[in-house]
Amino acid sequence: MVTTRIAPSPTGDPHVGTAYIAIFNYVWAKKNGGRFIVRIEDTDRQRYVPGAEERILAMLHWLGLDYDEGPDTGGPHGPYRQSERLELYRRYAEILLERDWAYRAFETPEELERIRREKGGYDGRARNIPKAEAEARARAGEPHVIRLKVPRPGTIEVHDALRGLVRYDSAEIPDVVLLKSDGFPTYHLANVVDDHLMGVTDVIRGEEWLVSTPIHVLLYQAFGWDVPKFYHLPLLRAPGGAKLSKRTGHTSVDHYREEGILPEALRNYLSLMGFSMPDGREVFTLSEMVEAFSWDRVSLGGPVFDWEKLVWMNGKYIREVLTLDELAERVKPFMTEAGLTWPSEDYLRRVLELMRPRFETLKEFPQKAIYFFQDDFDYEAKAQKEIAKGAALLRELKEKLANLPDFSQAYTEPLIKAFAEESGKKLRHVMQPLRAAITGRLATPGMYEMLEVLGKETVIRRIERALALVES
RNA sequence: GGCCCCAUCGUCUAGCGGUCAGGACACCGCCCUCUCAAGGCGGAGACGGGGGUUCAAUUCCCCCUGGGGUCACCA
């Protein structure tokens, strides 16, 4: 059975890169009827951020990337948190020691820094410590690490399913630390041990891992385990071209959520970073992607994360994919955030219907539709001018509107059109002052629809207020 | 810098020896129109360079160039 996993480390905000890699892991597992696992790589207690794990898991659920096994859902291969598996790593490091695939090293961080400066990297000097002596020092409690004993000379072959065979000279592979002096494993040891124990068959991860893959291959060989398939995906890039990072762009999925990006749109957009549908369709669901997925449709160039296109995609979902009811639910938190309330569910939906083609992020909705929900909105400078210019017309029009039985389009449209004609004005010269008066701005949905939604009372009140404003 | 990966419009990409090099975002124009959008139609815009292989290269191979990654007791 195909088993994939993502192995995020809880060191900060939930990263879009994690989401991106998660999509491909999820899709490949589902495509094969396999399992998708989440494993938390919390072996760095320096960088550990409380709450980060919960936020990463929440992000995955938010994006619809539900996993079969994970730290909160459990599963047959738990625990799924590396800090809870320390004994395991110690035991396997021990095995490596016994098989002469690893050795104990006693240099202090300061010494290592000096060696690095002088030799350009660790030179493997602790290999020369007689085994008995090393064991004795360890038993005496001397702090030390366990390092991989890279066989040299030699070559290590890494098969990447997307790039083919990559050969490494073992002289280029350092004797990396496997078990730190605090008893925690490094990524290299923990990831190999866990992937094996958890039955991971396909390792899909970021390209940043490609050059350390020979280390992992060596470990699989040392343990005598099957080597999984590797797929190294290109890294998300910032507009400059460098890998997307906190320094070069917004990396937190929470940031995009707060900006009013829909999970479906983010997921869809991220999928497009490397994957394309056979028919060229750009808007598609997760399960449609599972259906159509194949590795030869994945491109290897580092994709630049483009906020503009994400926003377009988001708008596409807002106006074409979500139902009106769904949209209403999505928009509510942003209404509340903006301090706006809505008189009824029906009213909110009617406004949404008018505004749908006019906003692209959820956050924009309260800003652009504020006049539908409260009276004391600001008048833009241009709107004020328009009101002043059309004040006389507005006074007349107000009287006529006030005589209408109600503000359905059947009444307002003929009246306004007739009014314009009688006044000898072009329709727009009537519309713009009216628009400015009742919304405070010059760009809004269609007039008749708006009048109907706002209602007679509100409209008359606003015209009066607008006139008062320019008269003062 | 060493090693590794990558390379089609500004951006995301299709292409898998013979195509007018296609689509999407952004941009420009037109249509629709009470404004703004949305939508429709049209436009501009790319195969980094040099060698090969081949009747024929965007496509296959090599070199260069460019970009990226990585060189921790971080992942």
Side-chain angles (χ1 to χ4, degrees), chain A residues 77-384:
Chain A
H77 308 283
Y80 295 89
R81 213 172 273 122
Q82 290 185 329
S83 59
E84 295 167 11
R85 302 166 65 84
L86 297 183
E87 197 39 53
L88 224 41
Y89 310 125
R90 204 162 307 160
R91 217 158 66 220
Y92 281 100
E94 214 57 58
I95 291 174
L96 258 18
L97 243 20
E98 283 163 19
R99 296 186 182 174
D100 204 31
W101 265 95
Y103 60 96
R104 300 185 194 272
F106 300 85
E107 292 82 7
T108 64
E110 295 70 38
E111 286 173 312
L112 283 175
E113 179 53 40
R114 211 190 60 239
I115 296 168
R116 202 172 6 252
R117 265 201 312 274
E118 288 168 2
K119 310 259 186 171
Y122 187 64
D123 57 4
R125 60 183 63 185
R127 285 185 180 215
N128 302 322
I129 301 171
K131 214 159 182 177
E133 182 193 328
E135 291 308 311
R137 286 168 72 177
R139 267 196 306 276
E142 190 175 337
H144 66 283
V145 300
I146 294 177
R147 287 180 181 272
L148 176 65
K149 197 167 184 177
V150 176
R152 279 186 288 262
T155 38
I156 303 144
E157 294 191 338
V158 173
H159 290 274
D160 181 278
L162 301 177
R163 301 151 206 275
L165 183 64
V166 186
R167 262 196 202 81
Y168 294 87
D169 187 327
S170 70
E172 298 155 12
I173 311 302
D175 285 358
V176 292
V177 171
L178 300 175
L179 202 66
K180 303 183 245 182
S181 57
D182 63 3
F184 280 64
T186 61
Y187 173 85
H188 305 298
L189 209 218
N191 120 85
V192 166
V193 168
D194 286 344
D195 281 347
H196 172 73
L197 261 25
M198 294 178 178
V200 172
T201 58
D202 296 66
V203 173
I204 302 164
R205 75 224 303 195
E207 194 183 353
E208 49 190 302
W209 294 109
L210 185 57
V211 293
S212 55
T213 306
I215 294 168
H216 307 152
V217 169
L218 244 24
L219 284 169
Y220 283 105
Q221 284 172 7
F223 286 120
W225 296 336
D226 287 339
V227 181
K229 276 182 140 171
F230 294 107
Y231 308 74
H232 290 92
L233 260 26
L235 267 14
L236 258 27
R237 311 282 188 88
K243 117 169 150 176
L244 191 64
S245 71
K246 264 190 269 192
R247 294 252 44 95
T248 56
H250 291 290
T251 57
S252 170
V253 170
D254 287 351
H255 166 79
Y256 294 98
R257 182 174 46 70
E258 286 159 12
E259 284 299 312
I261 298 297
L262 298 160
E264 296 91 334
L266 182 59
R267 185 228 86 230
N268 196 153
Y269 176 69
L270 251 16
S271 302
L272 251 25
M273 306 268 85
F275 172 75
S276 63
M277 279 289 190
D279 61 3
R281 190 158 38 114
E282 295 203 296
V283 178
F284 49 83
T285 64
L286 229 203
S287 51
E288 285 169 340
M289 179 172 173
V290 170
E291 181 64 30
F293 188 80
S294 83
W295 287 106
D296 56 20
R297 299 213 59 81
V298 172
S299 66
L300 297 180
V304 174
F305 192 94
D306 181 17
W307 167 253
E308 292 295 329
K309 187 157 182 177
L310 205 212
V311 168
W312 165 80
M313 177 70 76
N314 207 56
K316 198 86 174 154
Y317 271 80
I318 285 173
R319 73 184 91 93
E320 291 177 18
V321 180
L322 295 190
T323 65
L324 203 54
D325 285 345
E326 285 171 329
L327 185 56
E329 290 312 309
R330 306 301 182 91
V331 111
K332 283 177 184 175
F334 290 86
M335 289 289 286
T336 305
E337 176 70 23
L340 297 180
T341 55
W342 50 102
S344 72
E345 292 297 314
D346 178 61
Y347 184 84
L348 179 59
R349 278 164 183 68
R350 288 169 69 192
V351 174
L352 242 13
E353 211 164 9
L354 297 187
M355 290 300 294
R356 240 214 262 233
R358 296 177 169 84
F359 68 101
E360 290 186 300
T361 68
L362 299 175
K363 195 179 177 180
E364 281 179 342
F365 177 68
Q367 298 164 2
K368 292 192 169 179
I370 184 168
Y371 52 84
F372 280 110
F373 302 99
Q374 63 178 41
D375 265 349
D376 63 344
F377 47 81
D378 291 326
Y379 288 85
E380 292 172 353
K382 282 182 180 171
Q384 292 189 35

